[in-house]
Amino acid sequence: MYTNKIAALAGAVAIIDQAAALNIHRHEQKLQKKQDAVVWETVVETVWVTEGAPAPKSTVFADNAGTVTSVVVVPTQQPKIEPPPVALPTVEKPPAPAPTSLVTSVKPATPTSTVASNNGGSSGTGFSGKRGLAYNEPTLANLVGSSCKSGVCGWAYNWGQTPGALDSKYSFVPMLWGAKGFDTWAASADKAISNGAKALFSFNEPDNKGQANMQPSDAATLHVKHMNSYSGKALIGAPSVSNSNLQGEGLEWLQSWVQECEGKGCKYDFCNVHWYSPVSAIDTLFDHIEKAHKICGGKPVWLTEFAPVEANDAQTADFLSKAIPRLESLDYLHAYSYFMVSAEPNRLLSSLSSLSAVGNKYVSI
């Protein structure tokens, strides 16, 4: 009985071993299939770094799988350096050139002022010469003046009330200009006269909306207020006017101002005109001066700005060679100044240290 049980037990064990072996075999097959399904992947990682910075290290796995790191070096962007701005000298800009004045009829003014007693020289101004220097920078005016033929350049102005470092051998003429100068005018004019100023300018182109911009009646009233008290102490100029032929501008404005002054009692010793036109219109310059002379009742005229437009330096120099002798010989023209002392095209300087062809002509005739 025991033998049979042992035999049966042995048989059962054998069956169990076979089953276990079969299970182990199946497990190995499943594992093998699972292993066959494994796919090794290589991950490529790109890292962007700045030029000069250390590159990162790549990580490599022992079983040949891992990460490959490639490094792309980005050049360092250099900042853009702009050159510093070049400072240029500040200059007054001329008014826009206007058509030649076409005033055909003028009404002479009744003389209303007392001419100052400091007359002298050929023009009655007390200056050494008619020719003047219109400037912004006094050192440049001194440079041009030092090249003037002896006795030719006698006075200067800068559209302002004080001369700056202008050489005292040039008689400085202060200008009221317009409303912006009212508060400081009395003190400036008094000081200028005490320093020997022989003349005073009133308003700058009140006929021009871009300049003093006044109605003739207002300008007459303000001229009486700010200028009349200097009558007999210095020569007083009427407001300067352009050669525009637009209605209410140029000589038409001047004629209206003179008529207003007859009732208001303006004191003035000379009229003041500007001229900008092509070189071919040179004769209109002298027509303009003559008409102003008649409008102002035969008073002297000062030409305090003039220049040809749309002309190069050679053309302008030729223009001056023709105009200056006529300006010098015109007895009722007491002073004139070319526009202007500056280093710009068609001006008196070619650089901050040299005269242009225009400047050389202006100082040498």
Side-chain angles (χ1 to χ4, degrees), residues 15 32 67 179 188 203 362:
I15 293 172
Q32 182 64 41
T67 300
S188 296
F203 306 123
Y362 187 69

Side-chain angles (χ1 to χ4, degrees), residues 159-161 175-190 201-204 206 211-215 217-230 239 257:
W159 296 271
Q161 298 180 7
M175 176 184 282
L176 174 56
W177 200 94
K180 68 180 184 180
F182 290 167
D183 292 343
T184 55
W185 176 246
S188 296
D190 289 341
F201 288 151
S202 183
F203 306 123
N204 185 67
Q211 298 296 312
N213 189 23
M214 297 178 179
Q215 293 300 314
S217 59
D218 295 334
T221 299
L222 291 168
H223 182 97
V224 169
K225 178 179 179 180
H226 294 285
M227 303 297 294
N228 272 20
S229 61
Y230 298 104
W257 181 83

